[in-house]
Amino acid sequence: MSNPSSTTTSPSRLILLPNTLPRLRELQSNKEVATAILGCPCEQPRPLEIIKGFRLSGINVERNNDFTFLANLKSHGSNVKRMELTGHNDIDDLRRLIECAPGLTWLDVGRKGGGRVPNGERENVRAGSATATATNTLEWATLLSELPDLTTFHGVRFFFEVSNAASLPGVTATSAHISTADRSRIRKNDE
């Protein structure tokens, strides 16, 4: 896909010839390839509707390729309706993504945390830590309200599963015959 004879500013940067992949509808790749394809000049707008397999890192946004990817998406991704991320760093990454693609009908945000830090090592995100938990429901609802055409959303649990005994009519978080864990889940669902 890259042109070996073209001049590049960095050996790892992918440069495509104009009108490369003009009929591309679906793309599963990392962010660097998606950035190159979105930024590749094309005589007619690409019918690209689905992009999947990339991660938003959120680290130094203006100095990494999130910034370039989002700028190219905003400029050339008007047909994109479905995004499937492998992950994101925080909800601000998703805010920036939604600003660039407000016409999404399908969004899978992937896993939160565990992004790459500038030196290439993985961040430590413990499963039970505050940084690994989902942002509150109100913040997610506010974010998703910016996608009026959204029909499918994956990646965040809004409700907590409780046992069958706790799902009986009249059972509340103060009922004596359910476990402490189920009481906690019912309280969280009621919030």
Side-chain angles (χ1 to χ4, degrees), residues 93-158:
D93 295 339
L94 301 174
R95 275 194 189 94
R96 288 186 288 271
L97 177 71
I98 288 170
E99 287 173 10
C100 297
L104 291 177
T105 59
W106 177 297
L107 178 61
D108 184 337
V109 297
R111 292 179 172 256
K112 180 181 185 283
R116 298 266 178 205
V117 292
N119 66 3
E121 296 176 11
R122 297 209 35 98
E123 292 179 40
N124 285 328
V125 178
R126 295 183 315 268
S129 73
T131 58
T133 58
T135 309
N136 72 42
T137 306
L138 179 61
E139 194 168 5
W140 278 107
T142 303
L143 178 72
L144 295 175
S145 70
E146 297 176 28
L147 293 171
D149 298 330
L150 190 69
T151 60
T152 307
F153 177 68
H154 293 270
V156 176
R157 290 188 206 169
F158 285 114

Side-chain angles (χ1 to χ4, degrees), residues 23-117:
R23 293 182 185 87
L24 185 67
R25 291 191 182 278
E26 182 174 337
L27 174 64
Q28 181 168 353
S29 71
N30 62 27
K31 187 172 38 193
E32 291 75 20
V33 172
T35 300
I37 290 173
L38 285 169
C40 176
C42 204
E43 290 174 9
Q44 299 293 322
R46 256 183 213 90
L48 184 60
E49 296 175 354
I50 301 169
I51 302 176
K52 38 182 160 171
F54 67 95
R55 168 177 194 75
L56 293 174
S57 61
I59 303 166
N60 298 324
V61 171
E62 294 180 11
R63 294 173 57 196
N64 75 9
N65 53 10
D66 276 4
F67 182 76
T68 307
F69 170 77
L70 293 171
N72 285 349
L73 178 64
K74 189 170 192 168
S75 299
H76 308 290
S78 61
N79 293 328
V80 176
K81 300 295 180 203
R82 179 175 177 162
M83 291 250 181
E84 295 182 31
L85 285 70
T86 57
H88 63 283
N89 193 44
D90 62 22
I91 199 162
D92 290 331
D93 295 339
L94 301 174
R95 275 194 189 94
R96 288 186 288 271
L97 177 71
I98 288 170
E99 287 173 10
C100 297
L104 291 177
T105 59
W106 177 297
L107 178 61
D108 184 337
V109 297
R111 292 179 172 256
K112 180 181 185 283
R116 298 266 178 205
V117 292

